Amino acid sequence: MNDLSNAPEGRRVLDVTIVMLDDGLSSTAVMPTEIFHSAGSLWNALHDEPAYPAFRVCTVSLQGATVRTPYGFGMIPAASVESIERSDIVIVPTSGLDLDLKLVENSALLPWLRRQHASGAYIVGVCMGAAYLAAAGLLDGRLATTHWAACGEMATRFPKVHWHPELFMTEDQRILCSGGVGASIDISLYLVEKFCGHDIAVQTAKALLLPMPRLMQSGYAVLPVSRAHDDPQIRAIEAWLQENFRKDVSIQQLAERVHMGARTFVRRFKSATGRLPAAYVQALRIEAAKTMLEHEDASVTVIAEAVGYLDLGFFRALFKRITGMTPGQYRAEFSPISVRGHAPPELHLIAGEALVGRC
């Protein structure tokens, strides 16, 4: 953790330790390595300017041995975990889907993470790497996120953690999490901006042709509208709403369908589903809108009306609040090229040709 004499304004170069674990998606370790290594350097090199590296990156594995990947190649770290006494930032990537196996296999990592955090390090769990932070007790009582598809299992396994699957990133007392493989980019650029400022983060992103950090992953998720429960009357209402979510219906009307008073119905519905009835209907409508934006070229106004919203402004605001994107941004991200309508000319040409013999 020595200063570099040519660092601008006396900025200290920060030590980043990237943990590599067997059977994980390599990009969750490689992308942070490349981003931190590039910060303060790559943009400068592309513009023939002096480089001022902002971070010193070291890759490690538990024993310093080569790490295997699911697709047949190995990654050779620079050192072992225990050789790192103190780091400013620690990145923990994914390590395979079988958490029961992996948490045992990599259990030696947990006390090391606790020591690093106690020494002042920022500890980052990328995607399902958050499981190691939770298993180490670092996330108890704190905000966290992970891949949206894993959040249910994480919440069951680590109930003391405040999981937020709608978020790409969380930060709580030097503990950070990111959801999904691509969010390794978001969390790395976020930390570059946090420690080096917006200009360096933008330069790093531009040099690597990366987007600046996103905040929400709910636009990418296929989350269940309701959690599992055993209330047959509420299940009947859910089934009816899933067929009739476009209709405007009052709490009293819903309650009468299952012969309950309004207050009792609201209490039972929230207890069973985890949502108030209005929020449940909103979630159904937004999921329907997402599907239409992904597959149809209808205008946003038409889609809003089709899912039950005549007030376009309200629909846009609600859609962004729930997904983290405007309807237009969501369509640009997830619709087919034929719907987006802005494919490069060469792609239109290829799509129109018979590709016999090209493979």
Side-chain angles (χ1 to χ4, degrees):
M1 300 201 356
N2 300 320
D3 293 350
L4 291 190
S5 58
N6 65 340
E9 301 177 1
R11 186 205 315 135
R12 182 168 65 83
V13 176
L14 301 178
D15 285 302
V16 180
T17 302
I18 311 287
V19 180
M20 293 180 168
L21 299 170
D22 283 335
D23 301 321
L25 297 175
S26 58
S27 61
T28 61
V30 172
M31 281 307 305
T33 301
E34 294 181 340
I35 288 171
F36 286 114
H37 178 75
S38 299
S41 300
L42 183 56
W43 175 268
N44 305 54
L46 295 173
H47 290 80
D48 294 321
E49 298 173 355
Y52 302 109
F55 303 94
R56 185 170 29 244
V57 182
C58 182
T59 55
V60 300
S61 66
L62 284 180
Q63 305 299 328
T66 298
V67 173
R68 66 179 181 268
T69 65
Y71 9 86
F73 66 84
M75 298 188 296
I76 303 175
S80 69
V81 162
E82 290 299 334
S83 70
I84 306 298
E85 294 184 5
R86 171 76 167 79
S87 187
D88 295 295
I89 299 169
V90 174
I91 308 291
V92 183
T94 61
S95 65
L97 297 177
D98 188 342
L99 282 181
D100 288 325
L101 172 65
K102 290 301 175 182
L103 286 172
V104 172
E105 186 178 288
N106 298 312
S107 60
L109 182 64
L110 307 185
W112 181 81
L113 290 175
R114 288 192 287 266
R115 290 198 303 272
Q116 290 295 324
H117 187 255
S119 297
Y122 284 74
I123 311 295
V124 181
V126 176
C127 192
M128 292 182 69
Y132 294 98
L133 280 59
L138 296 175
L139 287 175
D140 286 355
R142 293 183 172 135
L143 297 175
T145 191
T146 186
H147 192 284
W148 57 265
C151 227
E153 179 184 354
M154 292 286 200
T156 300
R157 189 184 290 266
F158 305 110
K160 295 180 181 179
V161 181
H162 303 308
W163 296 102
H164 285 267
E166 76 279 8
L167 299 177
F168 263 118
M169 297 181 291
T170 58
E171 178 180 6
D172 194 335
Q173 301 180 58
R174 290 185 290 108
I175 303 292
L176 298 94
C177 300
S178 66
V181 174
S184 63
I185 297 172
D186 298 280
I187 200 76
S188 300
L189 286 171
Y190 172 82
L191 286 169
V192 171
E193 182 169 8
K194 181 181 184 72
F195 290 108
C196 303
H198 183 69
D199 289 347
I200 298 296
V202 169
Q203 289 172 1
T204 304
K206 286 184 176 180
L208 293 168
L209 274 70
L210 298 173
M212 285 296 283
R214 301 160 291 178
L215 297 177
M216 305 287 286
Q217 68 168 311
S218 49
Y220 297 76
V222 185
L223 299 172
V225 172
S226 172
R227 61 194 182 194
H229 65 83
D230 297 315
D231 189 324
Q233 289 173 293
I234 299 304
R235 283 195 181 282
I237 288 295
E238 286 186 88
W240 188 86
L241 285 174
Q242 287 164 10
E243 294 293 328
N244 299 276
F245 63 85
R246 298 170 182 84
K247 298 178 180 178
D248 287 326
V249 60
S250 69
I251 294 294
Q252 186 62 44
Q253 289 171 314
L254 291 174
E256 288 174 355
R257 294 186 68 86
V258 285
H259 311 292
M260 294 184 195
R263 293 179 63 182
T264 299
F265 170 75
V266 170
R267 177 179 54 78
R268 288 264 297 272
F269 193 95
K270 176 71 179 338
S271 175
T273 69
R275 300 176 189 258
L276 291 170
Y280 186 96
V281 172
Q282 287 178 344
L284 289 174
R285 289 177 171 183
I286 293 303
E287 285 301 313
K290 286 164 64 176
T291 299
M292 293 180 71
L293 288 164
E294 289 169 19
H295 299 288
E296 302 179 17
D297 60 0
S299 70
V300 174
T301 300
V302 169
I303 289 173
E305 293 178 357
V307 300
Y309 293 111
L310 299 179
D311 185 335
L312 181 60
F314 178 82
F315 169 73
R316 288 183 185 275
L318 179 66
F319 191 95
K320 185 169 185 178
R321 176 168 63 81
I322 290 177
T323 70
M325 305 178 184
T326 66
Q329 290 168 335
Y330 186 89
R331 169 172 276 161
E333 189 77 19
F334 294 110
S335 64
I337 289 173
S338 59
V339 173
R340 296 200 300 270
H342 54 69
E346 62 271 20
L347 291 186
H348 285 301
L349 177 62
I350 291 172
E353 292 177 352
L355 301 181
V356 177
R358 288 206 171 194
C359 297

